[in-house]
Amino acid sequence: MKDFSVSMALVDYIPVICFAIAAVILMRDLYDKMSKGAFALFATGTIDITCAGALKATYKLLYAAGVCDFEALNAMFFPMQSIGFLLAGIGVLAMLCHKQTKNSAFVVVPPVFSGTFVFVGLMIVGLGLMDAVLCILAAKIKKPWFIAFFILSFVCSLCMGYLSSQNFAEAAMNWIAEGVNVVGQGALLLGAVLLHKNGLSEFKLRNGETA
């Protein structure tokens, strides 16, 4: 028996919305800096992450409202989100390290994964890559203090990795995880908004430049 409430489920949508808004801002600002392949990876990854979070929150809402225990929505969360973060991370890393032309292709053949711990690891690696590239972009536009928001976002993702190993049938653990997730995705959103307002969309990124 899981100790979910309707209010808890509704709060779970907040980090999903924050991440989705941040992703849209970043996609708009980085579109002309990415090849079609890199942008496709980044867009696919962020959409995958958003869907995974929304489905998990919907699972909690259905359970808390007494509609049903739609376990499939819960079980697919880690595979969807971890692969999404990995794709998004590879996409932004390719933007810096791979010569970006509109006709270039960047193909990734996804391996087969098993085990929750592996998914958590991939999620952390993917978000780490994404936050690292955003830190580099913050430094390039001469706003190094923005880096703090992306570091906070990554630290919260590490905390979420640890919390994922705990017993989520307890309400207290769910509230803690939701609080950490809200802070992490809120920091990512704030960092993306600040980058946008300080000219990220107009910033010219030279191909292959990483420093």
Side-chain angles (χ1 to χ4, degrees):
M1 189 72 176
K2 301 178 179 68
D3 191 9
F4 295 156
S5 65
V6 172
S7 59
M8 178 191 297
L10 294 176
V11 169
D12 218 27
Y13 283 103
I14 295 176
V16 177
I17 294 170
C18 287
F19 179 85
I21 296 172
V24 170
I25 292 172
L26 291 172
M27 281 191 282
R28 289 171 62 90
D29 286 350
L30 300 178
Y31 178 76
D32 63 348
K33 300 170 181 59
M34 290 180 163
S35 66
K36 291 181 179 179
F39 184 79
L41 285 174
F42 182 66
T44 301
T46 53
I47 291 171
D48 197 18
I49 295 163
T50 302
C51 289
L55 291 175
K56 180 65 177 286
T58 301
Y59 163 75
K60 288 185 179 181
L61 183 60
L62 292 174
Y63 189 97
V67 176
C68 64
D69 185 358
F70 202 159
E71 181 59 31
L73 297 182
N74 185 40
M76 66 197 301
F77 172 71
F78 272 124
M80 284 184 66
Q81 189 171 75
S82 60
I83 293 174
F85 273 118
L86 185 63
L87 292 177
I90 292 173
V92 293
L93 184 63
M95 178 185 68
L96 291 186
C97 300
H98 185 264
K99 186 175 181 180
Q100 301 300 303
T101 62
K102 294 305 177 183
N103 294 323
S104 64
F106 193 85
V107 180
V108 173
V109 179
V112 177
F113 303 113
S114 61
T116 300
F117 182 77
V118 174
F119 291 132
V120 173
L122 289 175
M123 178 182 71
I124 292 173
V125 169
L127 183 58
L129 287 173
M130 193 165 73
D131 282 329
V133 171
L134 292 175
C135 287
I136 292 172
L137 292 175
K140 285 180 178 294
I141 65 172
K142 312 298 184 185
K143 298 293 181 181
W145 66 275
F146 292 174
I147 293 173
F149 297 107
F150 303 118
I151 291 177
L152 176 59
S153 171
F154 182 64
V155 169
C156 287
S157 79
L158 294 178
C159 293
M160 288 299 295
Y162 167 75
L163 291 171
S164 68
S165 65
Q166 305 305 303
N167 183 10
F168 273 81
E170 300 295 329
M173 189 55 62
N174 275 277
W175 280 115
I176 292 172
E178 287 184 359
V180 171
N181 204 16
V182 168
V183 172
Q185 302 309 326
L188 178 64
L189 172 59
L190 184 55
V193 169
L194 289 172
L195 285 177
H196 175 72
K197 288 186 174 181
N198 283 271
L200 178 60
S201 60
E202 290 80 25
F203 178 74
K204 301 299 181 184
L205 183 67
R206 286 179 286 179
N207 289 334
E209 183 183 50
T210 58

